[in-house]
């Protein structure tokens, strides 16, 4: 069968899933609406896995638009007004600006020309991981992911690596893992904020900020160290391009930033301030309210606007927006845009998908000890989060955990701390999380097989650390 025939066969299978699944006997109490949502989800995931991103995504968006009560126009609005889609889109523009002025090349050259990094590829990789972790912790996860992977990719090109090589592929994944755990460090940022908000609404308890942050930092450090050791001693990628002692990158050691690069560096600092300050300033200050209203994508747009304002009248020195837009990874944008209405459909009351899943699980959890309950529930939630976006799993499962946990005498603080770690890490499929979608769409360095194998290894690691950490966290919380 030739490639065209295979693609047509995949197209027919996707159509059958999207428009025929609803006619199958219902699963439990899932409604026909819910069955069609599941069919669209399976069809989209199948199409992404076996063929491409674009046509399964576009077809899935249209199919969701014809669900009862929906319109295609309204669904497109959900797709492209989603915070994650807009944030990622404008961060790609900003990252492209850094690349166009040579800032990413400068940083990459700085990394490969350091004396301490000469002939030490894992020291270099650790530097990237720590930088990504810090930016993700204090600024924004997706800002860190786009910027650091772009800089690391540039570094790998400078070193002579090619697409398909293991070191740039798995090195990028380890960097994204470091960025992921960094994004969950504080209880007021990202998915940790969702977990803790649900806990407060259900129980009235407030998270112990210091305890939460310290535990997450320990989880993050152990996760990064084990991932790096696993890459070095188990995966064993070829790093011979970085082992030469001839100091061939010494020519970059004395490079200095030019005016354009300094300007963009200043804009990055401005963007960090816009994103970080609302979390530490008094909530009732007018400037705090203004910054929060700006939002993450708004902060990027504002910073890009400042770039063009300070360069008014300098047409020859300014990077036109058309060049910035050319740097957008549309595979990732379409993937995120498709996931947005899918998550809405899965959580919709008329689908009855998540209540059915939760009810089915409830019977499995009766009669368990506190430790067994936590481990079993998180294992099931982790597995489901590979097929349903992890944010949806957090919203659906943590309320059940708080309710069941109370009957076993488990502090909601324990559940929130552990959930903020394990449910933040979902890497096995493109729909598992925004981070996973980024990995699967980053085909310049990572192929599908590498993404899946790394995802499975990461989930095993995260679950093992959760099992080990559960009794320790229970003891710390008391």
């Amino acid at each position: 069968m030739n490639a065209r025939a295979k693609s047509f066969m995949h197209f027919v299978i996707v159509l059958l899933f999207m428009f025929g699944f609803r006619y199958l006997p219902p699963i439990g109490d899932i409604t026909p609406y819910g069955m069609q949502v599941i069919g669209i989800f399976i069809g989209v995931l199948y199409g992404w896995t076996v063929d491409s991103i674009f046509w399964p995504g576009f077809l899935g968006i249209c199919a969701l638009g014809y669900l009862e009560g929906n319109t295609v126009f309204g669904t497109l609005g959900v797709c492209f007004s989603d915070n994650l889609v807009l944030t990622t889109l404008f961060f790609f523009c900003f990252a492209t600006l850094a690349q166009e002025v040579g800032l990413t090349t400068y940083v990459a050259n700085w990394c490969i020309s350091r004396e301490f990094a000469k002939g030490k590829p894992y020291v270099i990789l650790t530097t990237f991981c720590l930088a990504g972790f810090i930016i993700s912790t204090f600024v924004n996860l997706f800002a860190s992911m786009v910027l650091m992977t772009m800089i690391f990719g540039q570094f790998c090109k400078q070193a002579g690596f090619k697409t398909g090589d293991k070191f740039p592929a798995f090195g990028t994944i380890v960097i994204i893992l470091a960025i992921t755990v960094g994004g969950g460090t504080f209880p007021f940022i990202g998915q940790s904020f969702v977990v803790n908000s649900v806990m407060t609404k259900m129980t009235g308890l407030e998270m112990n900020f210091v305890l939460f942050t310290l535990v997450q930092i320990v989880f993050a450090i152990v996760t990064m160290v084990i991932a790096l050791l696993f890459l070095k001693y188990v995966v064993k990628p070829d790093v011979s391009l970085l082992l030469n002692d001839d100091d061939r990158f010494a020519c970059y050691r004395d490079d200095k930033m030019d005016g354009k690069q300094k300007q963009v560096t200043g804009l990055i600092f401005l963007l960090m301030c816009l994103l970080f300050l609302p979390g530490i300033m008094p909530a009732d200050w007018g400037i705090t309210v203004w910054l929060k209203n700006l939002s993450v994508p708004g902060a990027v747009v504002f910073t890009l606007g400042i770039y063009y304002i300070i360069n008014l009248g300098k047409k020859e020195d300014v990077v036109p927006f058309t060049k910035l837009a050319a740097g957008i990874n549309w595979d990732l944008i379409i993937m995120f845009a498709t996931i947005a209405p899918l998550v809405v459909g899965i959580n919709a009351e008329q689908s009855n998908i998540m209540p059915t899943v939760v009810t089915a699980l409830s019977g499995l959890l009766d009669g368990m000890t506190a430790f067994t309950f936590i481990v079993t529930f998180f294992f099931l939630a982790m597995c489901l989060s590979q097929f349903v976006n992890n944010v949806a799993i957090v919203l659906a499962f943590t309320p059940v955990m708080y309710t069941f946990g109370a009957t076993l005498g488990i502090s909601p603080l324990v559940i929130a701390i552990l959930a903020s770690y394990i449910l933040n890490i979902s890497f096995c499929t493109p729909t598992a999380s925004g981070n996973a979608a980024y990995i699967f769409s980053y085909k310049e360095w990572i192929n599908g097989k590498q993404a899946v194998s790394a995802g499975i290894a990461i989930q095993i690691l995260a679950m093992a650390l959760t099992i080990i950490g559960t009794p320790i966290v229970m003891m710390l919380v008391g």
Side-chain angles (χ1 to χ4, degrees):
M1 186 181 294
N2 61 38
R4 185 173 175 80
K6 284 183 179 179
S7 292
F8 184 76
M9 179 190 71
H10 294 319
F11 170 71
V12 172
I13 292 172
V14 169
L15 282 181
L16 289 173
F17 274 124
M18 288 187 178
F19 298 101
F21 200 82
R22 68 174 301 166
Y23 299 107
L24 294 177
I27 301 171
D29 294 324
I30 296 176
T31 64
Y33 179 99
M35 291 293 287
Q36 189 168 353
V37 171
I38 293 174
I40 294 169
F41 170 77
I42 295 173
V44 167
L45 186 60
Y46 177 83
W48 284 349
T49 303
V50 301
D51 202 279
S52 72
I53 300 296
F54 285 99
W55 70 260
F58 289 144
L59 196 60
I61 291 170
C62 290
L64 288 165
Y66 283 100
L67 289 173
E68 183 182 350
N70 289 3
T71 65
V72 175
F73 184 78
T75 302
L76 285 169
V78 173
C79 293
F80 293 100
S81 64
D82 181 71
N83 183 67
L84 180 57
V85 171
L86 292 174
T87 298
T88 308
L89 188 149
F90 288 116
F91 266 119
F92 270 124
C93 293
F94 193 83
T96 303
L97 174 61
Q99 187 174 34
E100 285 292 327
V101 300
L103 182 59
T104 55
T105 300
Y106 172 83
V107 174
N109 288 343
W110 188 94
C111 289
I112 61 178
S113 64
R114 295 306 94 192
E115 287 281 358
F116 70 81
K118 186 172 63 175
K120 299 175 182 177
Y122 292 97
V123 172
I124 298 172
L125 183 57
T126 300
T127 303
F128 277 103
C129 288
L130 290 174
F133 175 85
I134 292 169
I135 297 172
S136 178
T137 298
F138 291 100
V139 184
N140 180 268
L141 186 149
F142 283 97
S144 177
M145 191 159 60
V146 173
L147 286 170
M148 295 311 300
T149 54
M150 185 174 286
I151 294 171
F152 184 68
Q154 186 69 29
F155 159 75
C156 289
K157 286 180 182 178
Q158 294 287 99
F161 286 102
K162 306 296 182 185
T163 300
D165 290 344
K166 287 185 177 181
F167 182 76
F170 291 112
T172 299
I173 293 172
V174 171
I175 291 169
I176 293 175
L177 175 60
I179 290 167
T180 301
V181 293
T185 302
F186 294 135
F188 54 79
I189 293 177
Q191 194 154 286
S192 296
F193 176 72
V194 177
V195 172
N196 287 290
S197 295
V198 173
M199 179 193 73
T200 300
K201 288 178 182 178
M202 290 195 63
T203 67
L205 296 175
E206 294 288 341
M207 176 54 68
N208 182 320
F209 177 89
V210 175
L211 176 63
F212 180 94
T213 302
L214 289 176
V215 171
Q216 297 303 328
I217 288 174
V218 171
F219 268 133
I221 292 172
V222 175
T223 301
M224 286 189 287
V225 169
I226 294 177
L228 286 165
L229 291 175
F230 186 85
L231 178 63
K232 182 176 182 178
Y233 295 107
V234 179
V235 179
K236 297 179 179 179
D238 181 5
V239 292
S240 56
L241 290 171
L242 300 172
L243 292 177
N244 295 319
D245 293 327
D246 57 3
D247 206 13
R248 56 186 166 141
F249 299 118
C251 58
Y252 300 121
R253 196 163 293 148
D254 296 323
D255 284 357
K256 304 296 181 182
M257 282 190 189
D258 61 24
K260 295 178 183 179
Q261 293 164 353
K262 289 178 181 178
Q263 186 182 82
V264 174
T265 300
L267 290 172
I268 291 174
F269 179 75
L270 170 63
L271 180 58
M272 289 182 177
C273 291
L274 292 173
L275 295 175
F276 182 61
L277 288 178
I280 61 174
M281 293 169 63
D284 56 349
W285 283 11
I287 186 65
T288 307
V289 175
W290 183 83
L291 288 172
K292 286 183 177 179
N293 187 53
L294 191 60
S295 75
V296 176
V300 187
V301 171
F302 179 84
T303 307
L304 287 171
I306 294 295
Y307 169 72
Y308 286 106
I309 289 171
I310 61 179
N311 285 292
L312 286 173
K314 301 178 181 178
K315 289 186 178 180
E316 68 281 358
D317 295 326
V318 71
V319 181
F321 190 78
T322 50
K323 279 193 175 182
L324 303 190
I328 296 171
N329 181 337
W330 284 105
D331 278 356
L332 184 62
I333 297 301
I334 296 304
M335 188 177 283
F336 282 176
T338 308
I339 289 170
L342 270 174
V343 171
V344 173
I346 289 168
N347 283 294
E349 186 176 346
Q350 63 264 44
S351 72
N352 208 41
I353 294 173
M354 295 313 297
T356 300
V357 173
V358 170
T359 301
L361 290 175
S362 297
L364 298 174
L365 300 172
D366 289 335
M368 291 185 176
T369 65
F371 175 79
T372 307
F373 163 77
I374 290 175
V375 172
T376 303
F377 204 104
F378 277 134
F379 176 75
L380 293 171
M382 181 193 73
C383 291
L384 282 172
S385 73
Q386 307 310 314
F387 305 99
V388 180
N389 187 273
N390 62 345
V391 176
I393 293 296
V394 167
L395 292 172
F397 275 69
T398 49
V400 180
M401 286 204 72
Y402 294 136
T403 302
F404 272 87
T407 65
L408 296 173
I410 304 171
S411 169
L413 300 181
V414 172
I415 294 171
I417 290 172
L418 294 171
S420 295
Y421 171 72
I422 183 66
L423 298 184
N424 191 36
I425 301 175
S426 297
F427 277 67
C428 289
T429 68
T431 55
S433 65
N435 308 22
Y438 188 92
I439 288 173
F440 277 86
S441 69
Y442 199 56
K443 298 185 183 298
E444 180 180 2
W445 293 110
I446 306 168
N447 62 44
K449 183 179 178 181
Q450 290 169 330
V452 171
S453 61
I456 292 172
I458 287 169
Q459 296 307 144
I460 292 172
L461 169 60
M463 193 66 230
L465 292 179
T466 301
I467 293 171
I468 295 170
T470 294
I472 299 173
V473 174
M474 292 175 71
M475 179 183 67
L476 290 172
V477 173

